[in-house]
Amino acid sequence: NTQLLKVREWLLYAVAEAEKELGSGTGQLKLRYVYDMFILRFNKLAKLISFEAFSLMVDEALENFQNILKNNEKVQNYINKE
């Protein structure tokens, strides 16, 4: 599904923004932050995806983000910028 692929790609951005905004050690707050962003961005789709399914998608995006963060100094600088 093209829409779902778009969401997965967008989630990488959303988890990066949540990490930058809230920092590490705030997992549940970050999940809520990303979910609120998702509802605003993909309102119709948000009604079709359960929070549990969304949470799994966020976990996947977060894992991808962590790999990018480890290997990309520019992303590290962006996240750590005050």
Side-chain angles (χ1 to χ4, degrees):
N1 186 333
T2 305
Q3 185 74 356
L4 208 47
L5 181 59
K6 184 188 273 189
V7 170
R8 289 183 193 280
E9 290 172 355
W10 175 84
L11 278 172
L12 193 56
Y13 158 77
V15 297
E17 288 301 308
E19 182 70 25
K20 182 178 180 185
E21 187 71 28
L22 300 171
S24 61
T26 58
Q28 289 301 310
L29 288 175
K30 284 189 280 195
L31 177 59
R32 187 74 227 179
Y33 183 87
V34 171
Y35 188 64
D36 289 347
M37 289 173 63
F38 173 68
I39 290 171
L40 290 173
R41 177 76 169 88
F42 298 97
N43 193 320
K44 290 180 184 177
L45 190 59
K47 295 174 184 172
L48 303 174
I49 297 177
S50 71
F51 184 77
E52 292 77 20
F54 178 81
S55 182
L56 291 174
M57 291 170 42
V58 169
D59 289 344
E60 181 182 299
L62 190 54
E63 186 176 315
N64 291 338
F65 173 72
Q66 293 298 335
N67 287 330
I68 291 169
L69 190 60
K70 276 191 250 179
N71 299 309
N72 190 315
E73 189 176 332
K74 288 183 180 182
V75 173
Q76 291 169 11
N77 290 338
Y78 174 74
I79 295 301
N80 295 321
K81 192 185 313 182
E82 308 241 344

